[in-house]
Amino acid sequence: MSSILPLTLSNAYVKRRGKTLIGPIDLSIEAAELTIIIGPNGAGKTTLMRAMHGLQRLTSGVLEFACSIDDARQAQAFVPQNPIMMRRSLRNNLIYPLQLRGVSKSAANAQADDWAQRINLRHALDQSAPNLSGGEKQKVAVARALIREPELVFLDEPCANLDGHATRDIETMLLAERAARRTIVMSTHNLGQARRLATRVIFMLGGCVHETGRADAFFDAPQTPEAAAFLTGDIV
Amino acid sequence: MSSILPLTLSNAYVKRRGKTLIGPIDLSIEAAELTIIIGPNGAGKTTLMRAMHGLQRLTSGVLEFACSIDDARQAQAFVPQNPIMMRRSLRNNLIYPLQLRGVSKSAANAQADDWAQRINLRHALDQSAPNLSGGEKQKVAVARALIREPELVFLDEPCANLDGHATRDIETMLLAERAARRTIVMSTHNLGQARRLATRVIFMLGGCVHETGRADAFFDAPQTPEAAAFLTGDIV
Amino acid sequence: KAETMKLAVTTSFHNSGLSDILLPVIKEDTGLDVQLLVVGTGQALRLGEAGDVDAILVHSRGAEETFVEAGFGTHRREIMYNDFVLIGPKSNPAGLAAPDGIVAALAQISQSKATFVSRDDESGTHKREMSLWRRAGLNPENFGPWYNAVGAGMGAALNTASGLSGHILSDRASWLNFGNKADLAILFEGDPLLFNQYAYIPINPKKHPHVKQDPAAQLENWLVGDRAKGLINAYTINGEVLFTFNAHP
Amino acid sequence: MDNIWDGIKAAVYLLVTFDRDLMEITLRSLQVTLSAVAISSFVALPFGAWLAIRRFRLRRAAIAVLNALMGLPPVVVGLVVYLLLSRSGPFGVLDLLFTPAAMIIAQVIIITPLIASIAHQAIRELWAEYHDLLISMNTTSGQRIRTLIWDGRRALITAALAGFGRAIGEVGAIMIVGGNIDHATRVLTTAIALETGKGDFALALGLGFVLIFLSLLVNFATHALGRTERGKFW
Amino acid sequence: MDNIWDGIKAAVYLLVTFDRDLMEITLRSLQVTLSAVAISSFVALPFGAWLAIRRFRLRRAAIAVLNALMGLPPVVVGLVVYLLLSRSGPFGVLDLLFTPAAMIIAQVIIITPLIASIAHQAIRELWAEYHDLLISMNTTSGQRIRTLIWDGRRALITAALAGFGRAIGEVGAIMIVGGNIDHATRVLTTAIALETGKGDFALALGLGFVLIFLSLLVNFATHALGRTERGKFW
Ligand SMILES: Nc1ncnc2c1ncn2[C@@H]1O[C@H](COP(=O)(O)OP(=O)(O)OP(=O)(O)O)[C@@H](O)[C@H]1O
Ligand SMILES: Nc1ncnc2c1ncn2[C@@H]1O[C@H](COP(=O)(O)OP(=O)(O)OP(=O)(O)O)[C@@H](O)[C@H]1O
Ligand SMILES: [Mg+2]
Ligand SMILES: [Mg+2]
């Protein structure tokens, strides 16, 4: 199978009722990178990821993959900032993406058991998913995205509500994915986490990509004063 | 006005369809404390705070205030883990609690302007609140709770989606509230934040209060091995 | 302002179109604004019993007499008559012939089990149909599926008959004014047994003090007068006379 | 088919000639139905909201009864209203029988359960969303109901429109309590029933098309005013 | 009032004596209405869902038309179906006029817009919730519709029950296409209309109460089976 990557955005804008949410954006996401998007609240991180994933139409500009859009859609997953739990049991939430692909009931159940184990929620498999705790929902959303073995995964602040241990579990999972040469794009406000995971960083500000670069270079020596200020927790 | 505190929970349980979510809990919240609740995902932090606030009925046990329940309800506010935005503009979300109290339109608007300023969202006052970004929503929820000047505030992971700067703003606000001898109960997964803010800590595990104490003592020398493990980010 | 009164009439009277001729003239002559309630015979009688109308105009002699005897109406005043006709498919599948009389015609329909539609709603028309079956020595309860008791007003029953291509007993006025004739036609008419008398009954103010006694009397006077006679006798559809005035002044 | 075509022609003819009688009964239809919808909404929306926010023992039963009342046969409603308003009935002295007021009463009875039931359904979802917030703010029941109705107004428009649809097309009840009196209580539906009885299908259909046209008009106007299809996902 | 009391007595009498004719028309009512509701739901639920998830240019217009169709006057529907099914009509050869099948067809036409409209309203809320998830998983339209109907089934029950209510109480259309023929197409509502015309108000009311009782039964059964009031907030 040929890769769906690189993904390229050229001169992309997302506007709503005349207001520019993000843009102009020129960007490409390469295979096997773990890209972390950082930036202040309202900078447009979520909007950018939704646009790349296809949840939000571009008002203008071009989004391209190395393959057809249809194939690309099939090979990617998205974990939103506020996890959406289907009004079903945890198990049925996990097997839903497998059912869509026609995986047999028993195979799907086995996989659900496996993933529930990994996120430490095996005991809650038959609980109604909307009743789970905030952190538990986030873990389910991550598992539900990864269970499809996508080539490209977007994660929007996946660890925001997680305790220290769960955060470490997720980070381990993501590093394993990175090692398996899957491509990950993730936003976070946890700069420590960004440092631990990123191979590449996108720093957003006011709807634009303000600075981007290799992770080590960026964290050691940000090129713009705004990025430097952001890294020290100052107002930007 | 006499204080609504202390709040006391005695032998309190919350159960759902036979499953014990939290309990037995014996606890009291004293006036002018800033209590931080920590514990792993699913430990029952949210459930405990909801029960204290009156969002969740106790299955058994007693919840008492220093005054009648009605007066107590009037004097407290709650910021949930997933902020609930009313389907109105940001301004109308902020003035809603004031309208409930019959505050005049102009006074309410002035206050909304003031609070929008404090959370750096003055420019977005007329935007539809459900469209705000995740972090912006959280800030709105905090402002909407504090705008009523409650005596007791519950905050459930209020900074989970906030950037470094906004987190610091909120922390400053909370410290100001603490200085004004308001009572705050807050849950967080950010142990640094817990250290910075807490005067008292409640460590929850498996639905029970596992350990509780003054903040400095707890962080320096936790009494139970589980708390010690949790503080170092280990599995508990 | 014109005085109004309420008059309950049967569907057949209204469907004939005669009311559209009479009402404006009544208004002109007497200043009365007559509001028509077009209902089934049974319902008309019930409206009268309850005092919800000031007078009724129906065609079901037995029921009318009981009504007056029970004191609901002051008296019964015959105004005019028309006649019933037997409608059926133009092809005349039962082979009905004119000279035999209506009773024989019905007997023949039952014998050939030709489709028949009965109103079955205890209206004047239905009661007449039943009495004709009785005269033929037949009981509709024993009829087979060719006999459709439809439980509906004249218009609805005619629609059903037209949809089923069946026979039906109708008053001439309703038939002539009916717009959905399809392949139906009059197969039999003119038997004296098909004579259909309309009568006017004012509601008794002793039972219902609020009824408008004077307008009701005024209307009665008008209905039995020369102006009414002229209009009723002159009312035709496609050159056919519909009603014959027979009130005794 | 010819008949349907004739009906359309009749409708167009009636409309372009601005037929006086047609205008009269159309306006009466509108007046009766809009009054009924207004009154019903005034009762049913708060009731639906109340039912959504209240937890009581017989709640499920109450909802089942409400749903069942959506099935109130119009003829029976008409009969009962008739018996109540009749001269020999308890409210006979009001002299409302065979007036538009009586028709409004009958329609209110018919559509209130429908509007309340749909409103309850819609508000239930919104209440699930707002529950914590409104409880936390220690709102009174009245405040909750007002907030939910206001913020759920878009969904509630469907409830009111469903009520409008049911009422504007209704004939069984208003025939009995209104009496279909020319120039007094004749409305579109009773006129249609009358023409059907006469077998004049073209005119009946024509009136029917006028009624459907009226319905469309009201719906488009409502949507235009309510801007129901804008906003977050539209 | 006496009449209403007589009506209740008549209803009780009819029920306890297990009146044969009553059983027959009650069962026919149920059969016709349940068939109509089943067919309509089969069409209207997916259609409502489809309308909720699709964005197209005339969407607002389509929704307004759908809402307007809730106001289709039953008599007009009856007429049109009559004309289509009558011997001289295009489907005359099927020989369906004055059969229960014709009544089902008329009822399906009447309640489909109602069910679709309420379903659309309910599913719109759920779609707002599931939108990102289902788009992200690259689901087909069919998968989306099936998922939304399944997860929204509780709210959709109200839609189906509203349709049931409308159909079980309907008389105008089925009177025309069914003909109210004794032992063939007579149902509860047409029998009620008949008794009303006869002036036998007690019997009419009695039948009406039987009908309401039937409605209650169906609603309670649905709620019991659907467990509609359990779950998250109940
Ligand atoms: N439909 C909309 N209409 C108007 N403004 C919008 C709309 N959707 C989003 N916005 C605005 O666009 C900006 C970017 O939003 P976005 O959710 O992408 O931010 P973010 O970087 O993810 O922030 P956070 O860190 O708080 O999650 C925000 O200021 C938000 O208020
Ligand atoms: N209605 C319910 N039925 C069954 N279990 C429930 C219900 N509500 C909550 N729970 C369970 O109760 C436990 C405690 O939930 P709670 O939301 O209080 O956790 P928490 O400490 O706030 O976790 P987090 O840090 O993830 O927010 C969780 O395991 C959750 O799955
Ligand atoms: Mg975001
Ligand atoms: Mg929580």
Side-chain angles (χ1 to χ4, degrees), chain A residues 60-132:
Chain A
S60 62
V62 187
L63 167 70
E64 272 176 332
F65 289 89
C67 60
S68 78
I69 281 282
D70 276 350
D71 291 350
R73 287 276 150 79
Q74 201 53 47
Q76 48 181 309
F78 186 84
V79 180
Q81 195 162 359
N82 270 314
I84 305 165
M85 290 294 110
M86 299 177 81
R87 301 176 183 181
R88 304 179 171 192
S89 69
L90 168 49
R91 175 186 300 279
N92 286 333
N93 266 273
L94 288 178
I95 64 179
Y96 182 75
L98 302 174
Q99 283 177 324
L100 290 179
R101 305 209 159 161
V103 174
S104 80
K105 189 103 193 158
S106 60
N109 270 321
Q111 281 205 55
D113 287 344
D114 175 31
W115 278 94
Q117 185 73 58
R118 295 199 216 178
I119 56 172
N120 260 312
L121 282 175
R122 183 103 189 228
H123 60 279
L125 264 172
D126 293 315
Q127 196 172 317
S128 150
N131 284 339
L132 291 170

Side-chain angles (χ1 to χ4, degrees), chain E residues 13-109:
Chain E
Y13 179 80
L14 286 169
L15 285 174
V16 298
T17 56
F18 255 98
D19 186 272
R20 288 257 326 264
D21 282 359
L22 178 73
M23 284 297 134
E24 186 196 318
I25 62 174
T26 306
L27 284 181
R28 192 173 296 118
S29 272
L30 259 188
Q31 177 212 332
V32 168
T33 302
L34 290 180
S35 310
V37 170
I39 296 171
S40 285
S41 299
F42 193 75
V43 176
L45 299 185
F47 180 71
W50 179 85
L51 208 54
I53 66 173
R54 274 288 151 146
R55 297 286 160 275
F56 51 95
R57 215 146 52 83
L58 289 179
R59 189 182 137 71
R60 284 182 65 179
I63 291 169
V65 170
L66 183 66
N67 283 339
L69 290 182
M70 288 194 289
L72 273 186
V75 183
V76 174
V77 173
L79 258 182
V80 171
V81 174
Y82 173 92
L83 291 173
L84 294 176
L85 296 184
S86 90
R87 287 278 160 72
S88 40
F91 303 107
V93 285
L94 300 178
D95 211 8
L96 287 177
L97 198 61
F98 307 128
T99 64
M103 297 154 83
I104 294 174
I105 292 173
Q107 291 203 341
V108 165
I109 295 175

Side-chain angles (χ1 to χ4, degrees), chain A residues 41-47 49 81 156-157 187 189, chain B residues 132-135 161:
Chain A
N41 289 128
K45 303 179 291 299
T46 300
T47 310
M49 291 173 70
Q81 195 162 359
D156 197 0
E157 305 187 30
S187 78
H189 286 299
Chain B
L132 292 170
S133 83
N161 292 296

Side-chain angles (χ1 to χ4, degrees), chain A residues 121 123-124 127-128 130-137 161-163, chain B residues 16-17 19-22 39-48 50 56 81 156-157 187 189 204 207, chain E residues 232:
Chain A
L121 282 175
H123 60 279
Q127 196 172 317
S128 150
N131 284 339
L132 291 170
S133 84
E136 289 165 348
K137 283 182 192 165
N161 292 295
L162 297 188
D163 64 38
Chain B
R16 273 287 171 98
R17 297 198 201 153
K19 184 179 162 198
T20 301
L21 304 191
I22 55 169
N41 289 128
K45 302 179 292 299
T46 299
T47 310
L48 174 62
R50 286 168 52 88
Q56 182 116 44
Q81 194 161 358
D156 198 359
E157 305 188 28
S187 78
H189 286 298
M204 292 202 69
Chain E
K232 200 171 175 194

Side-chain angles (χ1 to χ4, degrees), chain D residues 2-24:
Chain D
D2 289 355
N3 274 292
I4 295 178
W5 182 231
D6 287 347
I8 293 173
K9 279 196 286 187
V12 171
Y13 179 80
L14 286 169
L15 285 175
V16 298
T17 57
F18 254 99
D19 187 272
R20 288 257 327 263
D21 282 358
L22 178 73
M23 284 296 135
E24 186 196 318

Side-chain angles (χ1 to χ4, degrees), chain A residues 50 53 74 86-88 96, chain E residues 129-130 132 138 147 151:
Chain A
R50 285 167 52 88
H53 184 53
Q74 201 53 47
M86 299 177 81
R87 301 176 183 181
R88 304 179 171 192
Y96 182 75
Chain E
E129 193 178 322
Y130 279 14
D132 283 7
N138 204 23
T147 304
D151 283 11

